[in-house]
Amino acid sequence: MDILHSGLAETNEMLSFEKFKDGVLHDYYIACLSRETSLLSRKEVLTGKAKFGIFGDGKEVAQVAAAKFFKPGDWRSGYYRDQTMMFAMGESTPQQYFAQLYADPNAEREPFSAGRQMNCHYTSRNTEENGEWANLVEIKNTCTDMSSTASQMPRSVGIALASKLFREVDDLKQFKNLSDNGNEVCFCTIGDASTSEGHFWEAVNAAGVLQVPLVIFVWDDGYGISVPREYQTTKGSISKALKGFEKEEGTNGFYIAALKGWDYMSMVEIFDEGVQLARETHTPVIFHIEELTQPQGHSTSGSHERYKSEERLVWEKERDCLKKMKSWILENALADESLLKKIEQDARQNVKEAKDRAWKEYQAPLKELTQKSSEIIEALIPDNPEHEDELRKISKDLRSLREPVRKNSLQSVYKSLLLCGDKATSEATDYYTELKKDGATIYNTYLYDDGPKSALNVEAIAPVITDTSPSLNGYQIINKYFDGVFATNSKVIAFGEDLGQIGDVNQGFAGLQKNTVVKNIRYRNSRTDDHGKRYWFGATRIKAHR
């Protein structure tokens, strides 16, 4: 049975009451699946199988509701609590989640970062093996997640702006594999506490001015780690603090809605309306999702019982989104208690099996390595009889490890080589050298683009300066460079305060705002827009590095 389907709930289009009911039950299953993933993940960290964990428990219902409106071509630009959304979109599985939690360096088992990123960090491959862009309009795209809070905000504006430009700039309409006439929406997720970051406010202001298809979901569980939101957000509510950004007739700005994170049906209805508004009119949207909870606290680094009152803990249990969704399903006769219990059992069992498979597959090559290393160590004994007892102990200790990691083999072999000194065999020393090379291959790859389009493959062209070379000021060289780039590459977009008529304080863009005709218009004002000083936005589709 497919782990993302309970066997009791189908994902059919909601064309009838029965199909609507199946959709609701499927969403409930995915929410339960995600919760069980969070619960088991915490146990894996606390028992030492993983080093750190941060989870999306308490936000499941809001995320399954949001995922219903994510279409191929859209972009997710989120953070490390979006596992439910990824499960609901069919872009991740619990087994892959656990593989990342264990830092499995195998890219097939852990396709998002090959064990290089913290858990719950996702990405999508948006280039082909030859380095060319994939057909992004057919992919449910995910920008590579970053750990720094609010770091997803600037690029979210850039991704949404790209959709706007694909719709409005004629030169870009030829790239049918990158955009469907700008109909893509960027789904940006952020925790409430991170809205206090400067990047959040700069991004919101920029999106409100630019009017781009950006939908921001603010997951609000009332705390920033252990700090209550009233101590970090004006009026204790980000939607109230953003009131001045609300769009009115004849103005720019946002459509803003505050919703309860346990109210499944309300979120489905309002998300549908808001995402459609962004997709069709490029009006940015903010959904402030309140009354979310953290059943296990912020992360594995601490317990929320240490800073939440008894009253708050009781309140959170009563408003647990799974509990509330289950009650709603029963009240509306969409299922009975026995059916929901079976769905919950399915989810629990499927997650346990996924965890076991991920751990077994992660451990298998390590246990083989342990066995081989132990044999290499014992092979040193004939040439080093005076160290037989010590070598056998090193080998025995290595074999006795129930959950070995690579460093155990490295340490044991190195310790044995030191013990034997000059009498160490060439087989053992060569094996140790290979271990280190293998480690470099496993952990030092995927750091940069190593494909055919890698910048490392570009040959340097040395400057040629002669007696007749003109003498130019630095800004003139920069100006000529950008002039050439805009003339030859229609994918390049620049915008910001430095693109005004004088072209920044150093005149690097001076004169580039004018339409210049050479058979066609070389570049238009829409490719050099003056919309505020925002140096760090990229408006083109970004390659997600593995």
Side-chain angles (χ1 to χ4, degrees):
M1 181 169 56
D2 186 342
I3 194 169
L4 293 180
H5 296 81
S6 70
L8 299 168
E10 300 177 1
T11 55
N12 298 328
E13 295 279 342
M14 295 183 184
L15 301 178
S16 67
F17 176 75
E18 285 301 315
K19 291 181 178 180
F20 164 74
K21 183 175 70 173
D22 286 344
V24 171
L25 296 181
H26 172 72
D27 284 350
Y28 183 67
Y29 169 73
I30 292 293
C32 291
L33 191 81
S34 182
R35 176 64 62 87
E36 292 298 328
T37 300
S38 295
L39 295 174
L40 271 185
S41 294
R42 182 176 177 85
K43 290 180 180 178
E44 293 300 276
V45 174
L46 297 182
T47 56
K49 288 184 178 179
K51 304 308 178 186
F52 177 75
I54 195 161
F55 319 114
D57 50 317
K59 300 162 181 63
E60 296 92 351
V61 173
Q63 292 190 20
V64 293
K68 300 175 84 65
F69 308 104
F70 195 104
K71 296 182 178 181
D74 287 344
W75 287 77
R76 174 189 155 272
S77 178
Y79 78 128
Y80 43 75
R81 295 194 191 276
D82 288 348
Q83 74 209 42
T84 310
M85 183 179 289
M86 293 296 287
F87 291 168
M89 288 161 49
E91 297 301 300
S92 177
T93 66
Q95 184 169 340
Q96 292 170 338
Y97 183 95
F98 283 105
Q100 191 174 62
L101 185 72
Y102 302 139
D104 190 334
N106 183 289
E108 293 183 1
R109 296 190 292 265
E110 202 284 82
F112 305 110
S113 69
R116 279 118 173 105
Q117 287 253 56
M118 193 171 75
N119 76 292
C120 208
H121 280 56
Y122 297 105
T123 191
S124 59
R125 183 181 291 277
N126 45 34
T127 58
E128 306 289 359
E129 292 298 329
N130 62 4
E132 298 296 334
W133 289 107
N135 192 343
L136 302 185
V137 300
E138 296 180 351
I139 300 171
K140 291 183 178 180
N141 301 282
T142 282
C143 294
T144 303
D145 289 321
M146 298 181 285
S147 302
S148 301
T149 57
S151 57
Q152 70 271 35
M153 297 304 301
R155 69 167 181 205
S156 299
V157 177
I159 289 293
L161 177 57
S163 288
K164 181 183 181 74
L165 293 169
F166 278 119
R167 180 176 290 183
E168 296 184 354
V169 179
D170 290 340
D171 289 347
L172 298 178
K173 293 185 181 298
Q174 60 184 299
F175 304 112
K176 304 296 185 182
N177 63 321
L178 301 183
S179 175
D180 178 20
N181 196 37
N183 290 321
E184 304 78 26
V185 172
C186 178
F187 286 59
C188 173
T189 66
I190 187 170
D192 176 70
S194 296
T195 63
S196 297
E197 296 277 6
H199 278 347
F200 174 82
W201 291 94
E202 292 184 62
V204 166
N205 185 57
V209 171
L210 293 167
Q211 293 294 278
V212 292
L214 173 65
V215 178
I216 301 173
F217 297 84
V218 180
W219 310 132
D220 186 354
D221 54 39
Y223 288 84
I225 307 182
S226 61
V227 179
R229 66 183 177 187
E230 56 264 27
Y231 294 122
Q232 57 193 8
T233 303
T234 299
K235 299 184 179 180
S237 167
I238 191 60
S239 55
K240 291 179 180 177
L242 287 168
K243 202 68 177 173
F245 285 81
E246 209 154 20
K247 189 168 185 174
E248 300 172 346
E249 187 175 353
T251 72
N252 53 23
F254 277 78
Y255 169 82
I256 301 175
L259 301 162
K260 306 301 183 187
W262 45 262
D263 191 344
Y264 171 80
M265 206 60 231
S266 291
M267 287 189 290
V268 169
E269 292 172 353
I270 302 303
F271 287 173
D272 185 12
E273 178 185 337
V275 172
Q276 186 176 357
L277 179 70
R279 195 180 303 281
E280 294 179 356
T281 70
H282 285 186
T283 299
V285 176
I286 294 176
F287 292 123
H288 179 200
I289 311 304
E290 301 177 283
E291 295 193 11
L292 295 172
T293 64
Q294 285 187 340
Q296 301 183 106
H298 176 266
S299 67
T300 55
S301 292
S303 170
H304 62 159
E305 288 85 358
R306 295 168 57 188
Y307 55 85
K308 292 178 182 175
S309 67
E310 286 295 329
E311 292 77 14
R312 173 69 189 192
L313 292 171
V314 170
W315 182 91
E316 290 197 6
K317 287 181 179 179
E318 292 175 348
R319 284 168 177 75
D320 186 296
C321 62
L322 293 188
K323 180 179 179 180
K324 298 284 276 186
M325 185 176 184
K326 182 175 183 178
S327 296
W328 176 79
I329 291 172
L330 293 171
E331 289 168 4
N332 287 275
L334 298 176
D336 58 24
E337 187 75 47
S338 62
L339 180 56
L340 295 184
K341 185 175 181 180
K342 184 65 171 65
I343 289 176
E344 293 161 6
Q345 290 172 340
D346 274 358
R348 188 174 299 112
Q349 182 62 29
N350 286 341
V351 171
K352 182 181 183 302
E353 291 174 0
K355 172 189 72 73
D356 292 342
R357 286 194 302 271
W359 181 251
K360 183 178 180 180
E361 292 178 7
Y362 168 61
Q363 279 285 289
L366 296 176
K367 289 186 175 181
E368 291 177 6
L369 181 65
T370 297
Q371 176 68 25
K372 175 66 174 176
S373 298
S374 178
E375 294 171 358
I376 291 291
I377 292 169
E378 292 183 2
L380 290 166
I381 293 175
D383 293 327
N384 297 271
E386 68 278 18
H387 296 303
E388 179 176 358
D389 292 344
E390 294 147 291
L391 290 170
R392 289 197 183 281
K393 184 178 186 309
I394 294 172
S395 176
K396 181 181 178 181
D397 290 346
L398 180 59
R399 286 176 185 263
S400 67
L401 294 172
R402 292 181 58 191
E403 298 164 353
V405 294
R406 283 189 62 84
K407 76 172 183 179
N408 299 134
S409 290
L410 278 162
Q411 289 173 336
S412 298
V413 174
Y414 183 63
K415 185 176 180 180
S416 300
L417 292 176
L418 287 179
L419 193 64
C420 297
D422 294 339
K423 297 174 70 177
T425 63
S426 59
E427 180 187 17
T429 54
D430 290 346
Y431 177 74
Y432 181 68
T433 300
E434 285 303 311
L435 277 182
K436 292 194 292 183
K437 287 182 179 179
D438 289 344
T441 300
I442 291 171
Y443 293 108
N444 292 355
T445 49
Y446 305 123
L447 301 178
Y448 304 98
D449 179 5
D450 55 6
K453 296 285 187 176
S454 171
L456 300 177
N457 296 332
V458 178
E459 294 185 11
I461 300 176
V464 177
I465 301 175
T466 67
D467 293 338
T468 60
S469 297
S471 178
L472 299 174
N473 291 316
Y475 84 86
Q476 293 174 301
I477 296 173
I478 294 173
N479 188 281
K480 287 180 178 293
Y481 164 76
F482 281 117
D483 191 33
V485 168
F486 284 121
T488 59
N489 191 343
S490 59
K491 293 180 184 177
V492 177
I493 305 293
F495 68 102
E497 187 176 276
D498 288 346
L499 306 180
Q501 290 301 315
I502 66 169
D504 81 48
V505 293
N506 294 312
Q507 302 183 64
F509 276 88
L512 298 185
Q513 297 77 17
K514 298 177 181 178
N515 292 340
T516 304
V517 179
V518 180
K519 294 184 180 179
N520 297 305
I521 296 177
R522 282 204 311 191
Y523 43 79
R524 304 172 185 274
N525 285 342
S526 55
R527 289 181 58 207
T528 53
D529 281 341
D530 179 0
H531 279 306
K533 186 182 290 183
R534 289 181 284 276
Y535 297 103
W536 31 256
F537 290 153
T540 53
R541 302 301 192 195
I542 306 165
K543 180 175 180 181
H545 295 286
R546 306 289 281 192

